[in-house]
Amino acid sequence: MITSPPNRSRRGRRRLTARLAACVAAAALSVLAPAAPAAHAEPPTPTDILRSLGLDDVPADYVILVDTSASMNAAGYEAARADVRALIADLSPRDYVALYTFDSAVTPRYLGPAKSPEAIVGALPAVPAGGATDFGAAIEAALREFGRAGAAPVAAAVLVTDGTNAPPAGSPYVDPSGPAWLGLRSRAAALQKSWIGGYAVPLVANGRGGEQALRSVLPNTVVINPAQLPDLPGYLDRSKTDARLDAAGAALAGDTFGGVSADWESIGTDRLRLTLRSDTTHVPLTVTGLAVHTDPAASVEADLPATIELAPGARRQFDITLHGLSGGRPFLPFTRAVREDVRLGLSGTVTSPWQDALRPRLDLKVRPAVRSFDEPVSVEVLARGATVTLVIWLSLVAVLAATLLAVRWRARNPRMPAGDITISALDDTRRFPLPLSGRRMRMELPSFDAKIDLRGRRTRGRERIDGPVRIVIRCTRHGRDSTSEVSQGGSVLISGLVFEHIPELRAPAYGSGRDDGQAGREASDGFL
């Protein structure tokens, strides 16, 4: 027994259709050309991103298969026509509609864009008058539409029926497990689609034959109540979104690992201009934690925001002042402008507000650091000279150092003690007296074939400053150098010559030397 579908309020259907149409209209408010996304108070949604890419309206193919066998009673058939009309009214003009009727044979009623619901539904026969019900032939027609040239990436087959599969004699689809049905499954699996599904619309409570037949070919098949048929475009919205995101991935491939580049230029004394430039075509970027580093080190004054937004291909500029550069002349007594090479570096993190919105369908990658060039920048800086106070202090330090060196030198090189040095040979009884004076004396003694070098030296240790002075004697005789010391009133043997200090002796000098490194006059051959 054939029962009619539940009574539905035409007013309720109009409200539902109006709501679905409003959703479709909102999605259709996109611009076709890609544009830079506007600033969002809230994080962007996938719809915002798709709209900015011009990908918010992806067409779909709808193949509607309407049972026109004689088992369809007049009330049920008329309700099916109304549901199909409501479905087509909610489609986008870019969607494709293929309307077929099937009974003993499959007949195309309309093939084209979803533009005029009344005209499309008007192509259906006024009453169902067919004989058999051939589900296999109807599904074959749907697969043929899905595989045509230019088919959409999202597709749906809608099967409206009230009975079970009852193909006519001679149909290849009599046996559900036969080769014809296996061929349909293979053809469906080979279709290149982002998404494809089936919707079975039983017009009677126990009319599950259409569902079983459609699911055997299209596993992604669901059953919907005839009253829900106008909601079908909404069911496909998620599938359309996946297809749009796939298209977005292809459109954004050129921006993979895109990022932010930095340029520098000198704009005055101690001043630079930083230019940040986005090198992406579609993806907006965000820079956070931006900081400037210099080599040589300098104090950086810059008004850098904590967050910097960059639209695709956009650039932003910031002025920077450097403090503490010496110009390489820190001790000049004056200040002047010079040029100095400064190596500049940037630290910061680059992200995109699109990354979270597109996950997990798309993993959008950007270059995480700002790219800056290593070449040094020639900057005009003020070489600030030393202050007067610094000059005075440096002068005092220099005088003190010179005084300490002079004291040290005088302490290490004292005047020789008063008195005479007498020189005699072991094999000769004559003695040669030499009065001592100054800090150092040099002389020659031809009679002894000797050269004499005398200088004072204090005793080492604690008595170094005020201790007694000894006489250091260097004697060069017969080509050999010998050095020794003699204390006041003492004597020493050096190279066969006896040197004796006589503190109180004031013997007349037969030869004298010049003080402080001056060569002495040659001594005469006078002896005591």
Side-chain angles (χ1 to χ4, degrees), residues 169-492:
S171 169
Y173 301 106
V174 173
D175 182 4
S177 60
W181 282 98
L182 294 177
L184 291 180
R185 298 182 188 109
S186 299
R187 288 173 60 182
L191 291 173
Q192 300 296 320
K193 297 289 183 182
S194 297
W195 187 90
I196 184 172
Y199 293 90
V201 185
L203 298 179
V204 294
N206 57 352
R208 305 297 294 264
E211 171 200 350
Q212 297 168 358
L214 193 56
R215 181 174 284 116
S216 69
V217 178
L218 300 176
N220 193 18
T221 293
V222 297
V223 178
I224 61 175
N225 188 282
Q228 297 175 316
L229 193 58
D231 298 340
L232 184 57
Y235 296 155
L236 294 186
D237 275 349
R238 286 180 296 178
S239 303
K240 284 188 174 185
T241 298
D242 289 344
R244 293 166 188 157
L245 291 175
D246 290 340
L252 298 177
D255 283 347
T256 301
F257 293 109
V260 177
S261 300
D263 294 321
W264 307 89
E265 62 175 327
S266 178
I267 58 173
T269 303
D270 294 334
R271 298 185 66 206
L272 292 170
R273 177 160 293 159
L274 167 64
T275 300
L276 297 180
R277 181 178 291 103
S278 166
D279 54 22
T280 60
T281 304
H282 302 288
V283 178
L285 300 174
T286 302
V287 183
T288 55
L290 187 65
V292 180
H293 313 281
T294 67
D295 182 17
S299 175
V300 178
E301 179 184 340
D303 186 15
L304 298 175
T307 301
I308 301 173
E309 303 286 350
L310 286 173
R315 67 175 187 172
R316 291 187 63 179
Q317 294 182 325
F318 305 93
D319 291 346
I320 297 172
T321 302
L322 304 179
H323 300 288
L325 293 174
S326 66
R329 299 169 175 83
F331 297 109
L332 291 176
F334 54 88
T335 299
R336 65 173 179 172
V338 297
R339 301 201 73 84
E340 181 172 356
D341 288 342
V342 180
R343 195 175 298 277
L344 300 163
L346 288 173
S347 60
T349 303
V350 181
T351 58
S352 172
W354 285 11
Q355 290 176 304
D356 290 338
L358 294 176
R359 291 190 183 105
R361 185 74 179 186
L362 291 179
D363 186 13
L364 179 62
K365 297 182 182 297
V366 298
R367 195 169 59 249
V370 179
R371 175 186 292 167
S372 58
F373 300 98
D374 293 333
E375 291 77 7
V377 179
S378 180
V379 183
E380 185 180 79
V381 300
L382 286 179
R384 297 171 175 83
T387 63
V388 175
T389 303
L390 179 60
V391 172
I392 294 175
W393 276 105
L394 290 177
S395 300
L396 292 176
V397 170
V399 171
L400 178 60
T403 302
L404 292 176
L405 289 175
V407 171
R408 181 179 176 82
W409 184 86
R410 290 175 65 88
R412 298 188 63 180
N413 297 275
R415 297 179 66 86
M416 289 183 290
D420 295 338
I421 282 287
T422 62
I423 306 171
S424 61
L426 292 176
D427 56 355
D428 195 333
T429 59
R430 296 175 298 172
R431 293 190 303 166
F432 179 80
L434 178 64
L436 297 176
S437 65
R439 301 177 187 280
R440 192 169 190 173
M441 296 176 64
R442 292 189 181 96
M443 65 184 309
E444 293 185 5
L445 299 175
S447 299
F448 293 139
D449 188 22
K451 293 181 180 180
I452 308 300
D453 186 343
L454 306 174
R455 61 184 178 86
R457 182 176 183 180
R458 290 193 185 276
T459 303
R460 294 182 179 275
R462 292 186 178 181
E463 298 179 343
R464 181 172 181 177
I465 301 301
D466 55 357
V469 177
R470 302 170 65 87
I471 302 169
V472 179
I473 304 172
R474 180 181 178 184
C475 177
T476 303
R477 190 181 187 200
H478 305 312
R480 295 181 60 186
D481 285 343
S482 298
T483 302
S484 187
E485 296 182 358
V486 62
S487 60
Q488 299 183 32
S491 62
V492 66

